[in-house]
């Protein structure tokens, strides 16, 4: 993982989310506080205005003001019934003062009894005494306050006209209003604090979720992985196609585009372009999950090109993420297999030659020490004669280099195992038949011709696997039984030089034979009498014969031994027809 000095993605995400939550809540608190103050003033103003209207309509208020407005009225006193009644109403309605005043401004009620009978202070009562109702802010004996004024109207005894006999003033001091706002602001800030706490915890949870989803990687590491991912996909020789759980293509590398040519675009279903890859069964979980089936390649054809495909599911824990299709070029894989097989056979041949050479050196050393020149001369002549046995000469008459190299290696392996390998060549053409590779016209050997390249590759696999199976079957022959031998027959039939030829191959051994139940399932992958991890040779032969539209049969005579016969259509290289 890449390390950097700057904060990681989770820390930045936490800080950003928490910062946004805190700033948003602070701005909201300021807006709510301003709106709350404005709303509180409006609500309190409406409340005291309604209360002033109600008190101004009380009969006792009107009666007291009417009596106090007459010239013979006595001065207002603190212990009057009206003052007591107004004080009870003030306490019940939680206001700071309720003042009932005469037209000359003298108070008939006040929270402070000592101020009853004194003039109203503030200078904003004149409009009410003139008959108007309103709200105002002014400073009085209790300090700066929000006031509601309502005139008190009464009907005169003479004439029936209504006149102003006084006014009612109800007020809440700004200090009291500030205390009310402070209480509400505390509740608001408490709620915002709780929201801020939960918002911060949510930001931390979001950061942890993102970190878990990103597998603990930081942005720089993610960018680096993407670059490496693209570079690796571009450098692969195998074609890679990634699909989602529904089989839609999400990624295609350059090698896959080159192998397939025309390919469905991203987002389309893989089965629309390659219906026989087995991806649908793989995603559905219908394919066997054994190790052999998981690594088995399926042959598909796209645009006349043979490919080997392997499907694999992608999981994130128990969650199915999709599948990966790996494509390889069939001919290229065949060439690689032949090269690996050739190296193995070369090593086996060298090992066999090394053993034989050491034994020969021991014999030569012994004859030299005994000074047996006649015996030494005879042994050297025998060695020279054995260097070119009859079966090696048959291999030399095969013009195709791949088949010739295979047979030479198999001769060395057979000698190492103590098995006699016989090779029989037969060529039939429209002008006659040549057995054992001899020309009837001149008595000269006729070479087995060079086949098309892809067929030569397939024949190396077919003949090599059949001979390997025959060699292994002969290991079960006892020491007192007849000499183990394997016969390989190659017959090329071309009745019309302009048409395709027919190549017949037969491999027979004198081993113990094959049981009937094994012979019925021998062509399936993984079926073998030699234990687990074996049984792939005949399944590969089955795939090649099916791809070549040929046919083959497996026989096990009652007297012992096994015979495999197969026929393949073939095409000779130009100028190489028999």
């Amino acid at each position: 993982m890449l390390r950097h000095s700057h904060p990681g993605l989770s820390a930045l995400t936490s800080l950003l989310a928490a910062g946004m939550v805190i700033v948003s809540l602070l701005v909201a608190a300021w807006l709510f506080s301003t709106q709350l103050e404005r709303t509180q003033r409006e609500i309190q103003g409406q409340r005291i205005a309604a209360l002033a209207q109600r008190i101004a309509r009380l009969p006792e208020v009107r009666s007291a003001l009417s009596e106090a407005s007459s010239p013979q009225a006595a001065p207002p006193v603190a212990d009057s019934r009206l003052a007591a009644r107004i004080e009870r109403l003030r306490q019940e309605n939680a206001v700071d003062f309720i003042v009932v005043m005469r037209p000359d401004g003298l108070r008939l009620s006040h929270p402070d009894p000592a101020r009853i009978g004194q003039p109203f202070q503030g200078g904003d009562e004149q409009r009410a005494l003139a008959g108007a109702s309103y709200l105002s802010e002014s400073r009085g004996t209790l300090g700066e306050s929000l006031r509601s004024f309502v005139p008190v109207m009464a009907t005169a005894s003479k004439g029936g006209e209504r006149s102003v006999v006084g006014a009612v003033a109800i007020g809440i001091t700004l200090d009291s209003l500030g205390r009310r706002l402070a209480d509400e602001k505390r509740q608001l800030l408490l709620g915002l604090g709780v929201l801020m706490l939960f918002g911060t915890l949510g930001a931390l949870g979001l950061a942890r979720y993102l970190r878990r989803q990103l597998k603990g990687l930081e942005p720089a590491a993610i960018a680096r992985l993407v670059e490496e991912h693209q570079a690796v996909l571009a450098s692969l020789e195998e074609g890679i196609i990634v699909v989602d759980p529904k089989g839609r293509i999400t990624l295609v590398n350059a090698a896959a585009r080159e192998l397939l040519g025309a390919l469905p675009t991203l987002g389309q279903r893989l089965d629309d372009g390659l219906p026989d890859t087995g991806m649908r069964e793989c995603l559905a979980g219908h394919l066997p999950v054994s190790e052999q089936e998981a690594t088995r390649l399926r042959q598909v054809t796209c645009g006349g090109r043979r490919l080997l495909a392997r499907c694999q599911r992608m999981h994130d824990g128990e969650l199915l993420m999709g599948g990966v299709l790996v494509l390889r070029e069939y001919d290229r894989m065949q060439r690689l297999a032949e090269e690996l097989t050739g190296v193995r056979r070369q090593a086996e041949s060298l090992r066999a030659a090394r053993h034989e050479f050491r034994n020969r050196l021991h014999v030569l050393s012994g004859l030299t020490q005994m000074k047996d020149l006649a015996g030494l001369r005879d042994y050297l002549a025998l060695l020279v004669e054995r260097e070119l046995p009859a079966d090696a000469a048959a291999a030399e008459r095969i013009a195709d280099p791949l088949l010739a190299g295979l047979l030479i290696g198999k001769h060395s392996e057979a000698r190492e195992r103590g098995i006699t390998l016989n090779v029989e060549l037969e060529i039939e053409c429209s002008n006659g038949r040549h057995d054992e590779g001899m020309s009837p016209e001149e008595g000269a050997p006729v070479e087995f011709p060079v086949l098309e390249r892809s067929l030569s590759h397939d024949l190396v696999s077919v003949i090599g696997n059949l001979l390997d199976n025959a060699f292994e079957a002969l290991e079960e022959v006892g020491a007192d039984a007849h000499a183990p031998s394997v016969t390989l027959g190659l017959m090329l039939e071309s009745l019309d030089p302009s048409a395709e030829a027919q190549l017949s191959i037969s491999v027979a051994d004198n081993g113990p034979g094959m049981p009937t139940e094994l012979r019925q399932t021998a062509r399936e992958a993984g079926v073998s009498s030699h234990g687990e991890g074996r049984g792939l040779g005949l399944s590969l032969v089955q795939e090649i014969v099916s791809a070549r539209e040929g046919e083959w049969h497996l026989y096990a005579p009652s007297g012992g031994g096994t015979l495999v016969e197969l026929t393949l259509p073939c095409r000779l290289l130009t100028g190489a027809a028999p």
Side-chain angles (χ1 to χ4, degrees), residues 250-463:
T250 59
L251 185 146
V252 182
N253 71 341
R257 296 185 184 277
E258 182 180 355
L259 289 173
L260 298 177
L263 184 76
T265 58
L266 297 181
Q268 292 187 352
R269 297 183 61 86
L270 176 65
D271 291 339
D272 295 340
L274 290 174
D276 300 326
T277 60
M279 179 59 73
R280 179 184 301 176
E281 295 82 359
C282 178
L283 293 176
H286 296 160
L287 292 181
V289 295
S290 64
E291 181 179 356
Q292 291 180 358
E293 289 293 339
T295 57
R296 183 179 179 183
L297 298 176
R298 177 179 295 193
Q299 183 172 330
V300 297
T301 303
C302 181
R305 198 171 189 176
R306 291 191 299 172
L307 302 174
L308 295 176
R310 179 170 62 87
C311 300
Q312 183 174 350
R313 294 158 59 97
M314 294 189 304
H315 290 274
D316 184 6
E318 297 295 331
L319 179 64
L320 176 64
M321 302 298 294
V324 178
L325 177 66
V326 181
L327 298 173
R328 297 180 176 90
E329 189 176 3
Y330 179 86
D331 293 337
R332 180 174 177 274
M333 294 298 297
Q334 194 71 13
R335 290 193 298 270
L336 291 176
E338 292 169 3
E339 292 177 3
L340 293 176
T341 303
V343 171
R344 179 175 63 85
R345 288 169 179 153
Q346 184 75 9
E348 294 174 352
S349 300
L350 291 175
R351 182 165 58 88
R354 173 174 171 269
H355 288 175
E356 293 182 1
F357 184 70
R358 290 181 59 185
N359 293 333
R360 293 168 183 174
L361 287 180
H362 291 160
V363 174
L364 293 175
S365 176
L367 292 175
T368 303
Q369 292 179 10
M370 292 187 301
K371 298 181 179 180
D372 186 356
L373 297 180
L376 183 60
R377 185 182 302 108
D378 294 338
Y379 185 68
L380 289 175
L382 178 61
L383 291 180
V384 172
E385 181 180 356
R386 287 192 58 186
E387 286 300 323
L388 292 174
D391 53 4
E396 293 177 356
R397 293 197 304 273
I398 297 179
D400 193 297
L402 295 180
L403 293 180
L406 171 68
L407 293 182
I408 292 175
K410 287 302 180 182
H411 283 309
S412 299
E413 181 181 355
R415 286 197 301 268
E416 173 70 14
R417 294 172 178 259
I419 299 173
T420 301
L421 175 60
N422 301 312
V423 179
E424 298 177 354
L425 303 179
E426 183 176 337
I427 300 177
E428 290 187 359
C429 58
S430 57
N431 55 0
R433 172 172 176 171
H434 310 301
D435 294 329
E436 296 299 330
M438 299 299 295
S439 172
E441 289 84 359
E442 301 179 0
V446 176
E447 291 186 346
F448 199 83
V450 179
L451 306 175
E452 58 174 330
R453 189 65 173 175
S454 62
L455 178 60
S456 296
H457 294 164
D458 289 344
L459 289 181
V460 167
S461 297
V462 170
I463 296 176

